[in-house]
Amino acid sequence: MKLKMIKKLLALAAIFTAFPLFSESASFQSENYTINVKYNNEVSPGHAVFVRMNVIPAKNIKKQAGGLKAELQLLNLGKKLETSPFYQINPKKNRNSWEMLSGVPVTIWNDSEQPYQVKVVFSFNGEKPQEFILPTVFKAYTFEKEDIPLNQANTDIRTDTSAERMAQIEKLNNIFFSTSYQAVYQTKPFTSPTDSTRYTARCGDRRTFIYANGKKSTTLHFGNDYGIPTGSDVKSCAEGKVVLAENRITTGWSIVIEHLPGLYSVYYHLSELGVSEGDMVKQGQLIGKSGATGLATGPHLHWEMRLNGSAIVPEFFLRDFTFEAE
């Protein structure tokens, strides 16, 4: 296969300058097809790598349903850390080509620089699988550390090992790690679920809980917390399907919305719900009111994004992360 790499590094101007999204383009050509790729080339803890791929068959090659199979891989020292199949987007718009998208998370647990590689493996009309590497740059990120004293009520929630709480955790994890490749609801940039910019915690913060009895435990924070009064509007960050809307021991009144295959937004500690499981919602639609239910030290909104089960810095999705406008 002839490989022609066309580099195009762009810093996209946006509100959250601490979370720039860079894009790079690549083109791969053979006798039977042309592949054009766009992706974000920066690999950073708590972010993701999304690849948009357009595959155009040669004029003498007939496009077949299921004729293209592709997988996105994130590697470290040759070892696969994450894999995710590509799924089709805009099938009606692209009748003579495949417009494909895939994303893999980069864990927020990483504190040090790692030699990552991003690889695409694909097979066209059942031929022998081929692959190519997409050049990336690792950008380290330092997460904040904080100690959080808990009163007795919050200590009891944090240390609860009841069957009910364990079942709630299992149910939520089953959602986060499930993928429906038909669930393509929105590819344009997401929006914040609140007008507030008052952060009280951020995704990836290293936390030490100090219990009422003096004991401690450490964990990571999986989303952004906004310090807003109880009863403030909470809106869906994007179009999607409500897959969970219920009261949970740890997170209180909670909502989870599916937006893309394996991609979910999460809203915790609400005072009331405005949607039910199975509802379809639009971007910016009112879905509930903020509160302090569950394990909370005060009124706030916890907004979280999960990709293939991993927590991703929510600001990542406020950009054109699927390269829809390019």
Side-chain angles (χ1 to χ4, degrees):
M1 185 196 310
K2 243 172 152 185
L3 168 62
K4 181 183 178 184
M5 178 65 68
I6 308 168
K7 293 189 175 180
K8 183 186 69 169
L9 191 63
L10 298 172
L12 301 181
I15 299 172
F16 297 93
T17 57
F19 301 94
L21 182 66
F22 295 90
S23 70
E24 194 161 327
S25 299
S27 181
F28 306 89
Q29 194 163 16
S30 76
E31 293 181 359
N32 294 330
Y33 51 83
T34 299
I35 300 178
N36 297 313
V37 174
K38 292 182 179 179
Y39 70 104
N40 56 295
N41 75 324
E42 274 197 358
V43 177
S44 191
H47 289 205
V49 176
F50 269 80
V51 177
R52 187 176 184 131
M53 185 166 65
N54 182 250
V55 181
I56 306 169
K59 290 184 178 180
N60 61 327
I61 303 295
K62 185 177 180 181
K63 180 183 174 185
Q64 301 176 17
L68 177 69
K69 294 184 178 180
E71 181 180 77
L72 180 62
Q73 300 178 358
L74 181 69
L75 298 89
N76 172 236
L77 298 175
K79 179 182 178 181
K80 293 181 189 177
L81 300 180
E82 299 283 349
T83 64
S84 183
F86 280 82
Y87 48 88
Q88 191 169 4
I89 58 176
N90 302 325
K92 294 181 180 179
K93 179 181 177 182
N94 300 284
R95 295 183 182 277
N96 298 317
S97 65
W98 287 278
E99 190 81 13
M100 312 287 284
L101 184 68
S102 185
V104 289
V106 185
T107 178
I108 59 175
W109 293 91
N110 180 27
D111 283 313
S112 60
E113 186 171 337
Q114 298 287 338
Y116 286 105
Q117 280 187 315
V118 174
K119 179 190 290 187
V120 175
V121 180
F122 66 97
S123 176
F124 183 76
N125 284 345
E127 69 181 18
K128 182 180 178 181
Q130 300 190 60
E131 61 185 47
F132 53 85
I133 298 291
L134 295 173
T136 57
V137 177
F138 183 86
K139 184 177 180 181
Y141 185 80
T142 302
F143 295 99
E144 297 293 327
K145 295 181 180 180
E146 63 174 338
D147 293 339
I148 303 179
L150 299 181
N151 60 20
Q152 190 59 58
N154 281 330
T155 295
D156 291 343
I157 292 175
R158 175 70 186 169
T159 57
D160 185 350
T161 58
S162 67
E164 180 183 6
R165 182 168 179 258
M166 295 303 106
Q168 290 176 353
I169 292 172
E170 182 179 8
K171 178 180 179 179
L172 189 63
N173 284 333
N174 285 340
I175 291 173
F176 288 157
F177 287 94
S178 65
T179 304
S180 171
Y181 294 103
Q182 288 71 48
V184 180
Y185 299 116
Q186 179 166 321
T187 54
K188 68 180 182 179
F190 292 7
T191 52
S192 176
T194 173
D195 294 332
S196 175
T197 57
R198 179 176 173 259
Y199 292 90
T200 55
R202 289 185 181 271
C203 180
D205 285 354
R206 275 55 179 156
R207 288 184 154 184
T208 299
F209 286 112
I210 304 172
Y211 299 133
N213 60 7
K215 293 184 178 181
K216 300 179 180 181
S217 69
T218 58
T219 187
L220 301 189
H221 191 233
F222 294 138
N224 287 344
D225 286 349
Y226 299 87
I228 53 179
T230 294
S232 300
D233 287 351
V234 176
K235 301 175 182 180
S236 176
C237 66
E239 184 175 350
K241 180 180 180 179
V242 179
V243 293
L244 183 142
E246 65 184 31
N247 192 21
R248 304 178 69 250
I249 293 172
T250 304
T251 59
W253 289 104
S254 306
I255 296 172
V256 179
I257 302 175
E258 180 182 36
H259 302 289
L260 286 170
L263 180 61
Y264 301 89
S265 64
V266 184
Y267 314 80
Y268 286 158
H269 310 295
L270 305 176
S271 59
E272 60 181 87
L273 305 183
V275 293
S276 301
E277 185 175 329
D279 286 352
M280 299 300 300
V281 296
K282 297 294 186 180
Q283 184 174 33
Q285 179 178 328
L286 182 67
I287 58 174
K289 300 285 187 176
S290 64
T293 56
L295 199 166
T297 57
H300 71 286
L301 168 66
H302 174 100
W303 177 38
E304 187 173 310
M305 296 296 302
R306 293 283 186 132
L307 175 63
N308 299 346
S310 293
I312 302 296
V313 173
E315 286 87 348
F316 178 88
F317 298 97
L318 302 181
R319 314 298 183 138
D320 186 17
F321 67 98
T322 69
F323 317 105
E324 186 81 359
E326 294 189 29

